[in-house]
Amino acid sequence: MNYLPGTASLIQEIDKKQMVILRDGRTLIGYLRSIDQFANLVLHRTIERIHVGDKYGDIPRGIFVVRGENVVLLGEIDIENEDKLPLTEVSIDDILGLQQAEQESKRLDEERKKRAMTERGLTYHQDLLQEDLLA
């Protein structure tokens, strides 16, 4: 096997189904069609997959251009085992509703933490996590 340094190693992944996780926490699944020296990606037949608990929903996105600096993880999808997920697929409307409820629950938890710490005379600084960027 030949070693290709940097983004050149992605050449072997062209035309394969890939999952890309972005800095803002979104998950994209599509066929890698093009890359450049900055690891900018072009995905074809892309879906955005949203997970909430053991449920997921797919939103069709079509052709998607991803700036390389926003890629956290890129990996090939195992086509043979793709349908063996221990998850339940739900409609787009259902998953978006579940996602909104989950985000609201997290926001309320953060408000409770802040209030409890303030009542004890402590200063509360919320750490910025991936989940916080999904609002």
Side-chain angles (χ1 to χ4, degrees):
M1 184 169 175
N2 295 334
Y3 172 75
L4 296 170
T7 57
S9 63
L10 292 176
I11 290 172
Q12 299 168 350
E13 303 305 318
I14 288 182
D15 293 333
K16 294 180 183 174
K17 195 171 190 178
Q18 304 288 327
M19 178 172 66
V20 180
I21 299 179
L22 304 179
R23 273 194 327 188
D24 65 3
R26 288 185 290 168
T27 301
L28 303 174
I29 298 174
Y31 292 89
L32 182 64
R33 295 300 186 206
S34 181
I35 59 166
D36 66 9
Q37 70 269 27
F38 304 109
N40 297 322
L41 311 173
V42 176
L43 297 173
H44 179 242
R45 293 178 47 195
T46 307
I47 58 160
E48 179 179 349
R49 179 160 288 171
I50 298 173
H51 296 89
V52 178
D54 65 346
K55 295 179 175 48
Y56 75 94
D58 293 339
I59 302 172
R61 297 293 188 197
I63 295 178
F64 212 92
V65 178
V66 180
R67 190 173 169 115
E69 66 184 19
N70 291 320
V71 175
V72 173
L73 181 73
L74 177 118
E76 184 178 356
I77 297 285
D78 183 357
I79 302 285
E80 293 176 11
N81 294 316
E82 184 178 13
D83 295 331
K84 298 176 185 173
L85 295 173
L87 303 171
T88 305
E89 185 173 7
V90 297
S91 72
I92 295 170
D93 291 336
D94 288 347
I95 199 67
L96 290 175
L98 290 168
Q99 182 185 46
Q100 187 174 15
E102 181 184 57
Q103 289 172 348
E104 181 63 17
S105 173
K106 287 179 182 181
R107 187 186 66 76
L108 291 173
D109 285 346
E110 289 300 320
E111 284 180 11
R112 280 192 288 272
K113 288 178 190 175
K114 183 177 181 178
R115 188 171 41 254
M117 291 186 74
T118 303
E119 289 171 358
R120 291 168 176 79
L122 301 171
T123 304
Y124 178 76
H125 295 286
Q126 181 182 3
D127 293 331
L128 283 178
L129 300 173
Q130 283 288 40
E131 299 162 351
D132 300 324
L133 300 174
L134 295 176

